[in-house]
Amino acid sequence: MTRLLATLSVAGSMLAAPALAQEPGLAGRWRTSAENGVVAIERCGETFCGRLKDAKPLRADPDQRDVRNRNAELRTRKLKDLTVLANFTGGPKTWSGGPLYDPETGQGASTGTLTLLDDDTLAVKGCIAPLLCRTQTWKRVR
């Protein structure tokens, strides 16, 4: 019985090894270019979304609210765990979706793209119109 368990354990680890060796992909924690923020990108059903996990204002006041939001009704919501990216699909290197939201400025973009430049660099592009776009470069948090 002990040999059988050992054999199954080795076989299971061999099957898991290729999954661990795959490139990191989109999911993970990303350091933003503003306010030393951290956004966690993860699967949200069939799409990817990103939630704000950390930023300089949150370290000063963990109960920080979305005070810069252009919609006055949303200014009382907490920034911690706020969804800042939603409905992104695609891959393996480029995803499109939206909306995107920047709590530092209180501005949003209806559409955008996320482009994995390498395993640790993500270009985040948000557009309010076809020619009115802004791109930030985020670095993976290890």
Side-chain angles (χ1 to χ4, degrees):
M1 181 60 113
T2 305
R3 280 182 108 172
L4 177 61
L5 291 176
T7 302
L8 289 174
S9 176
V10 170
S13 65
M14 289 173 59
L15 290 172
L20 296 175
Q22 291 176 354
E23 66 182 67
L26 183 60
R29 293 171 70 85
W30 296 91
R31 177 138 343 259
T32 70
S33 58
E35 297 287 350
N36 205 21
V38 174
V39 172
I41 298 178
E42 59 196 8
R43 280 250 176 229
C44 296
E46 297 294 315
T47 65
F48 283 96
C49 65
R51 291 184 176 86
L52 183 63
K53 294 297 184 180
D54 189 28
K56 184 178 178 183
L58 287 174
R59 286 188 291 280
D61 176 9
D63 197 43
Q64 180 73 35
R65 303 301 169 133
D66 192 13
V67 296
R68 294 188 177 125
N69 197 302
R70 292 180 179 219
N71 181 342
E73 294 177 7
L74 299 177
R75 291 181 187 153
T76 59
R77 65 185 182 170
K78 290 186 177 189
L79 287 182
K80 179 79 172 175
D81 291 319
L82 181 68
T83 299
V84 295
L85 306 169
N87 303 315
F88 280 84
T89 60
K93 295 289 182 186
T94 301
W95 295 260
S96 59
L100 298 87
Y101 178 67
D102 181 357
E104 182 185 13
T105 64
Q107 296 180 336
S110 56
T111 63
T113 58
L114 306 174
T115 304
L116 201 57
L117 302 176
D118 61 46
D119 287 349
D120 294 325
T121 310
L122 183 67
V124 179
K125 180 179 178 181
C127 300
I128 58 174
L131 297 176
L132 295 172
C133 301
R134 184 177 81 179
T135 302
Q136 291 184 355
T137 302
W138 295 0
K139 291 293 189 175
R140 188 181 300 277
V141 176
R142 294 276 182 190

